[in-house]
Amino acid sequence: MRTAFRASIFHCLADPGQAAAESASEYVEDGMLIVDDGIVTALGPAGQLQSTLNDDVRVEDMRDKLILPGFIDCHVHYSQLDIMAAYGEQLLDWLHRYAYPEEARFADVAHARDVADAFLDGLLANGTTTALVFATVHPQSVDAIFEAAAGRNMRLIAGKVLMDRHCPPELRDDADSAYADSKALIGRWHGKGRLGYAITPRFALTSSEAQLESTGRLAAEFPDTWIQTHLAENTEEVEEIARQFPDCRSYLDVYERFGLVRDRSIFAHCLYLDDTDRAVMAARGAAGAFCPTSNLFLGSGLFDLEAMTGAGVNVGLATDVGGGTSLSMLRTMSEAYKVLHLQGQPLPASRALYLATLGAAAALGLEDRIGNLEPGKEADFIVVDPHASDATSRRAQTTNSVDELLFSLIFLGDDRNISATYIQGCRALTCLRGK
Ligand SMILES: [Zn+2]
């Protein structure tokens, strides 16, 4: 089926931090996006494309709004949706006091399904169309999130958390069950429709060497699966890693030794790395997830984007809910701007958008399918309404370019401004709040 959407359209074609401004993005003020069976087949000026359409093609006229690619969240825990904004601890205490007790509830599949639905509806309401998601240690928590994503036709990657030490007994698996359960889940879900599987060791402190070994075997046996874990988030954690793995050169080196640094590996945080670590990540094709609201909330530190991208490491933006404090990628972009500003690194609106769309797609190795609206891509996009709130509407009247408008929306906008989210050309969440 063919559908056309008429609106202003903006998307990235390359990293505005590394490519010339005029070739890094594309803006069509009175634009048209044509979608055939879920795939973008044309994008250009409405004046040119309108005449190519047969009379029976439905044209959705949204001329006062802005179409952007759907946002991509490169690191998030769906099981922590209900413990966002839990007061006052750094990482290791926060995990024990808030995250682990909540994750234990996911042994109950009815609870897992309930949270999975709320989580994905929350993503869609905020304009996020793809995410790389931690479930919990329970295999049924993975089934719940994949079932919910399949029901919404979302491109989603998720995996069962692997952890067998330094955590409550009810949340432990072991080296053998980690391997067997993950393998069964890969067989059940990986490559089914738009779903993909991520091998998910929580972090090096909560996996024994035997478990890291079996995880490495899985990673070698299934090279087209993703790997997601945490890396160098907090100074106390980094010191503990050095004590637990005295033979390893660095935190990253622990993962490297077990074969977990490869293409499609995404490491969340990456705050305390050195040049060697970044060179290894770049050489292996591993990517970093930049989680600004989480890093600020847990007092973890400041992500060095310049060092990462300068070393050739792909970086995507991420909410890291529930250490992160919002599912909104607009909010996440605004906090990323502040984190980088404190380090003397500029973040123009177009680059913030890149980190949440095409850059995030590249971090996941999915840039040939999603991330922008070039012909051939899957038609996951959002419709942004600058006039959905008084603050954004008043500010929109004083902006002079799409960059200024986008920057104001990053700081002043919220889910009210995401007037619609489209998954492969179909409007999602039409029953939610009358949208
Ligand atoms: Zn995390």
Side-chain angles (χ1 to χ4, degrees):
M1 192 186 75
R2 167 170 284 198
T3 313
F5 302 88
R6 186 168 184 176
S8 300
I9 303 172
F10 185 79
H11 65 160
C12 293
L13 304 173
D15 182 356
Q18 299 188 314
E22 57 276 14
S23 61
S25 61
E26 180 180 28
Y27 177 57
V28 189
E29 188 168 4
D30 182 9
M32 183 166 279
L33 184 72
I34 300 178
V35 177
D36 285 275
D37 297 326
I39 303 294
V40 176
T41 49
L43 186 171
Q48 288 175 19
L49 291 178
Q50 182 94 47
S51 59
T52 68
L53 298 174
N54 291 335
D55 290 345
D56 60 342
V57 174
R58 187 163 53 93
V59 178
E60 295 202 18
D61 194 336
M62 306 180 287
R63 255 177 278 187
D64 54 342
K65 300 187 177 69
L66 175 66
I67 286 179
L68 300 174
F71 298 138
I72 298 169
D73 186 341
C74 279
H75 176 78
V76 60
H77 303 250
Y78 95 84
S79 58
Q80 296 175 8
L81 181 71
D82 296 337
I83 55 159
M84 262 190 285
Y87 176 77
E89 305 286 348
Q90 288 210 354
L91 172 67
L92 300 179
D93 296 323
W94 184 88
L95 285 172
H96 283 275
R97 189 163 162 196
Y98 300 114
Y100 292 154
E102 179 62 21
E103 290 188 20
R105 299 176 68 198
F106 285 70
D108 173 6
V109 70
H111 179 69
R113 286 179 180 147
D114 178 54
V115 178
D117 281 332
F119 171 78
L120 293 184
D121 286 349
L123 290 188
L124 291 167
N126 281 286
T128 298
T129 50
T130 284
L132 176 61
V133 180
F134 271 57
T136 67
V137 73
H138 316 93
Q140 61 269 35
S141 75
V142 183
D143 292 329
I145 190 72
F146 277 138
E147 284 162 7
R152 292 162 176 79
N153 191 31
M154 291 176 74
R155 184 166 280 291
L156 191 107
I157 306 165
K160 178 195 121 63
V161 169
L162 313 176
M163 53 181 179
D164 65 350
R165 63 173 186 167
H166 299 154
C167 62
E170 65 273 20
L171 286 176
R172 286 181 201 177
D173 54 7
D174 60 44
D176 293 336
S177 69
Y179 177 88
D181 287 344
S182 298
K183 189 169 179 170
L185 287 163
I186 290 168
R188 193 141 75 239
W189 294 109
H190 185 60
K192 184 175 178 183
R194 305 185 80 201
L195 307 176
Y197 194 82
I199 298 165
T200 309
R202 180 172 216 115
F203 66 135
L205 275 189
T206 47
S207 287
S208 64
E209 296 207 11
Q211 183 168 77
L212 289 170
E213 260 168 41
S214 71
T215 305
R217 266 193 289 133
L218 268 178
E221 197 175 332
F222 299 99
D224 68 337
T225 57
W226 284 263
I227 297 171
Q228 59 177 345
T229 189
H230 299 89
L231 171 65
E233 176 176 2
N234 169 287
T235 51
E236 192 186 336
E237 171 209 17
V238 172
E239 286 162 13
E240 192 55 38
I241 291 284
R243 277 193 289 274
Q244 300 276 341
F245 299 93
D247 298 337
C248 290
R249 195 198 69 80
S250 68
Y251 194 159
L252 182 76
D253 194 39
V254 178
Y255 296 130
E256 171 79 346
R257 287 191 186 202
F258 291 99
L260 299 173
V261 185
R262 63 148 164 81
D263 197 33
R264 296 197 164 193
S265 296
I266 290 89
F267 294 98
H269 307 301
C270 302
L271 300 185
Y272 302 100
L273 303 184
D274 61 17
D275 289 344
T276 305
D277 292 328
R278 287 185 281 263
V280 168
M281 286 181 70
R284 298 275 183 281
F290 174 13
C291 312
T293 70
S294 170
N295 296 158
L296 293 171
F297 182 71
L298 294 173
S300 300
L302 305 178
F303 184 88
D304 189 342
L305 181 65
E306 206 168 275
M308 291 290 274
T309 57
V313 181
N314 282 325
V315 172
L317 207 55
T319 64
D320 192 26
V321 162
T325 48
S326 173
L327 285 179
S328 166
M329 292 300 283
L330 292 173
R331 182 60 41 81
T332 306
M333 285 185 245
S334 72
E335 297 301 293
Y337 173 89
K338 295 175 193 171
V339 163
L340 296 171
H341 207 10
L342 280 170
Q343 301 173 89
Q345 299 180 25
L347 184 66
S350 60
R351 197 177 198 203
L353 181 71
Y354 173 81
L355 293 173
T357 56
L358 186 61
L364 298 176
L366 289 172
E367 69 276 22
D368 58 334
R369 298 184 175 203
I370 54 174
N372 66 14
L373 300 170
E374 288 184 297
K377 296 286 182 83
E378 295 167 2
D380 291 349
F381 61 92
I382 61 177
V383 181
V384 178
D385 180 2
H387 301 290
S389 77
D390 287 344
T392 55
S393 186
R394 294 186 69 87
R395 181 68 180 95
Q397 289 162 33
T398 65
T399 57
N400 296 307
S401 67
V402 69
D403 287 286
E404 280 188 27
L405 175 66
L406 190 55
F407 191 76
S408 72
L409 286 164
I410 286 170
F411 276 84
L412 303 176
D414 55 36
D415 59 336
R416 290 171 294 176
N417 299 95
I418 312 297
S419 75
T421 299
Y422 284 80
I423 299 289
Q424 290 214 279
C426 291
R427 188 169 176 170
L429 284 180
T430 45
C431 59
L432 188 78
R433 295 197 307 267
K435 284 181 178 177

